[in-house]
């Protein structure tokens, strides 16, 4: 089965995002909520998850499982987005309006992934 190009775009986006966890881990460590244990491990695991889920989107046998995983992952990532709104330091110097826009963006990304369950 051939999927639309934008599904592969989504896959590439998650693979690249996951790779960034290993290329620039300090960036992700800065935004990790302080109340979560072992931030380095969590950054590594989230990077691995994004890469695996992105790759999973590319194959019919794993596409729907990957989509479910992406939606679950994005739901968990809302913790980070709300944490970043909790203080100026937690926001890592990102303007407040950008932090606020990231929350509806998470839901848009969830919907985008959900849309492919129909294919």
């Amino acid at each position: 089965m051939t999927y639309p190009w934008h599904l592969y775009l989504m896959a590439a986006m998650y693979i690249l995002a996951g790779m960034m966890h290993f290329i620039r881990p300090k960036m992700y460590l800065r935004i990790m909520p302080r109340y979560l244990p072992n931030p380095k491990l969590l950054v590594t695991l989230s990077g691995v998850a994004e890469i695996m889920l992105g790759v999973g989107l590319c194959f019919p046998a794993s596409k729907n499982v990957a989509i479910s995983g992406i939606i679950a992952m994005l739901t968990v990532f809302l913790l980070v987005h709300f944490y970043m709104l909790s203080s100026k330091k937690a926001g890592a110097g990102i303007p407040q309006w950008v932090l606020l826009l990231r929350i509806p963006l998470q839901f848009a990304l969830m919907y985008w992934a959900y849309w492919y369950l129909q294919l």
Side-chain angles (χ1 to χ4, degrees), residues 74-75 78 82 102-112:
L74 292 173
T75 301
L78 283 170
F82 285 116
R102 289 174 64 193
I103 293 169
L105 175 63
Q106 284 297 102
F107 289 103
L109 291 171
M110 287 180 213
Y111 179 77
W112 185 24

Short mmCIF file of all heavy atoms in Angstrom, two decimals, residues 74-75 78 82 102-112:
data_model
loop_
_atom_site.label_atom_id
_atom_site.label_comp_id
_atom_site.label_asym_id
_atom_site.label_seq_id
_atom_site.Cartn_x
_atom_site.Cartn_y
_atom_site.Cartn_z
N LEU A 74 2.22 12.40 22.74
CA LEU A 74 1.89 13.83 22.72
C LEU A 74 1.06 14.22 23.93
O LEU A 74 1.18 15.33 24.44
CB LEU A 74 1.18 14.19 21.41
CG LEU A 74 2.03 14.10 20.14
CD1 LEU A 74 1.17 14.30 18.91
CD2 LEU A 74 3.18 15.09 20.17
N THR A 75 0.22 13.31 24.39
CA THR A 75 -0.56 13.56 25.59
C THR A 75 0.35 13.71 26.80
O THR A 75 0.21 14.64 27.60
CB THR A 75 -1.59 12.43 25.82
OG1 THR A 75 -2.44 12.34 24.67
CG2 THR A 75 -2.42 12.68 27.06
N LEU A 78 2.25 16.96 27.07
CA LEU A 78 1.53 18.13 27.59
C LEU A 78 2.04 18.51 28.98
O LEU A 78 2.04 19.69 29.34
CB LEU A 78 0.03 17.86 27.63
CG LEU A 78 -0.70 17.93 26.29
CD1 LEU A 78 -2.12 17.39 26.43
CD2 LEU A 78 -0.70 19.35 25.75
N PHE A 82 2.81 22.38 29.96
CA PHE A 82 2.22 23.09 31.10
C PHE A 82 3.30 23.47 32.12
O PHE A 82 3.24 24.54 32.71
CB PHE A 82 1.11 22.26 31.74
CG PHE A 82 -0.15 22.24 30.93
CD1 PHE A 82 -0.63 21.07 30.39
CD2 PHE A 82 -0.86 23.41 30.69
CE1 PHE A 82 -1.78 21.05 29.63
CE2 PHE A 82 -2.02 23.42 29.93
CZ PHE A 82 -2.47 22.23 29.40
N ARG A 102 1.84 26.41 21.83
CA ARG A 102 2.27 25.01 21.74
C ARG A 102 1.19 24.05 22.24
O ARG A 102 1.13 22.91 21.80
CB ARG A 102 3.56 24.81 22.54
CG ARG A 102 4.75 25.46 21.88
CD ARG A 102 5.98 25.38 22.72
NE ARG A 102 6.39 23.99 22.91
CZ ARG A 102 7.28 23.60 23.79
NH1 ARG A 102 7.87 24.48 24.56
NH2 ARG A 102 7.60 22.34 23.91
N ILE A 103 0.33 24.50 23.13
CA ILE A 103 -0.70 23.60 23.67
C ILE A 103 -1.73 23.24 22.60
O ILE A 103 -1.96 22.05 22.35
CB ILE A 103 -1.32 24.19 24.95
CG1 ILE A 103 -0.24 24.20 26.04
CG2 ILE A 103 -2.55 23.38 25.39
CD1 ILE A 103 -0.57 24.96 27.27
N PRO A 104 -2.35 24.21 21.91
CA PRO A 104 -3.26 23.79 20.83
C PRO A 104 -2.51 23.07 19.70
O PRO A 104 -3.09 22.21 19.03
CB PRO A 104 -3.90 25.09 20.35
CG PRO A 104 -3.15 26.20 20.97
CD PRO A 104 -2.39 25.65 22.13
N LEU A 105 -1.24 23.40 19.50
CA LEU A 105 -0.46 22.70 18.49
C LEU A 105 -0.37 21.21 18.82
O LEU A 105 -0.46 20.36 17.93
CB LEU A 105 0.94 23.31 18.35
CG LEU A 105 1.89 22.58 17.41
CD1 LEU A 105 1.36 22.61 15.98
CD2 LEU A 105 3.28 23.20 17.46
N GLN A 106 -0.21 20.87 20.12
CA GLN A 106 -0.16 19.45 20.52
C GLN A 106 -1.45 18.75 20.09
O GLN A 106 -1.41 17.63 19.58
CB GLN A 106 -0.01 19.32 22.03
CG GLN A 106 1.36 19.58 22.56
CD GLN A 106 2.38 18.60 22.07
OE1 GLN A 106 3.14 18.91 21.18
NE2 GLN A 106 2.42 17.43 22.64
N PHE A 107 -2.58 19.42 20.31
CA PHE A 107 -3.86 18.80 19.95
C PHE A 107 -4.00 18.69 18.43
O PHE A 107 -4.55 17.71 17.92
CB PHE A 107 -5.02 19.56 20.58
CG PHE A 107 -5.09 19.35 22.06
CD1 PHE A 107 -4.65 20.34 22.93
CD2 PHE A 107 -5.58 18.17 22.60
CE1 PHE A 107 -4.69 20.14 24.30
CE2 PHE A 107 -5.63 17.96 23.97
CZ PHE A 107 -5.19 18.95 24.83
N ALA A 108 -3.48 19.66 17.70
CA ALA A 108 -3.49 19.59 16.24
C ALA A 108 -2.63 18.42 15.75
O ALA A 108 -3.03 17.69 14.83
CB ALA A 108 -3.01 20.91 15.63
N LEU A 109 -1.47 18.22 16.38
CA LEU A 109 -0.61 17.10 16.02
C LEU A 109 -1.28 15.76 16.34
O LEU A 109 -1.16 14.79 15.58
CB LEU A 109 0.74 17.21 16.73
CG LEU A 109 1.65 18.34 16.27
CD1 LEU A 109 2.86 18.47 17.19
CD2 LEU A 109 2.09 18.13 14.83
N MET A 110 -2.01 15.71 17.46
CA MET A 110 -2.75 14.49 17.80
C MET A 110 -3.82 14.21 16.75
O MET A 110 -3.99 13.07 16.31
CB MET A 110 -3.41 14.63 19.18
CG MET A 110 -2.46 14.57 20.34
SD MET A 110 -3.42 14.75 21.87
CE MET A 110 -2.23 15.62 22.87
N TYR A 111 -4.53 15.24 16.34
CA TYR A 111 -5.57 15.05 15.32
C TYR A 111 -4.96 14.63 13.99
O TYR A 111 -5.50 13.76 13.30
CB TYR A 111 -6.40 16.33 15.15
CG TYR A 111 -7.44 16.16 14.08
CD1 TYR A 111 -8.61 15.44 14.34
CD2 TYR A 111 -7.26 16.67 12.80
CE1 TYR A 111 -9.57 15.24 13.36
CE2 TYR A 111 -8.20 16.48 11.81
CZ TYR A 111 -9.35 15.77 12.09
OH TYR A 111 -10.28 15.57 11.11
N TRP A 112 -3.84 15.24 13.65
CA TRP A 112 -3.16 14.89 12.40
C TRP A 112 -2.82 13.40 12.40
O TRP A 112 -3.05 12.69 11.43
CB TRP A 112 -1.92 15.76 12.23
CG TRP A 112 -1.17 15.59 10.94
CD1 TRP A 112 -1.66 15.11 9.75
CD2 TRP A 112 0.20 15.89 10.69
NE1 TRP A 112 -0.67 15.11 8.79
CE2 TRP A 112 0.48 15.58 9.35
CE3 TRP A 112 1.22 16.40 11.49
CZ2 TRP A 112 1.73 15.77 8.78
CZ3 TRP A 112 2.47 16.58 10.92
CH2 TRP A 112 2.72 16.28 9.58
#
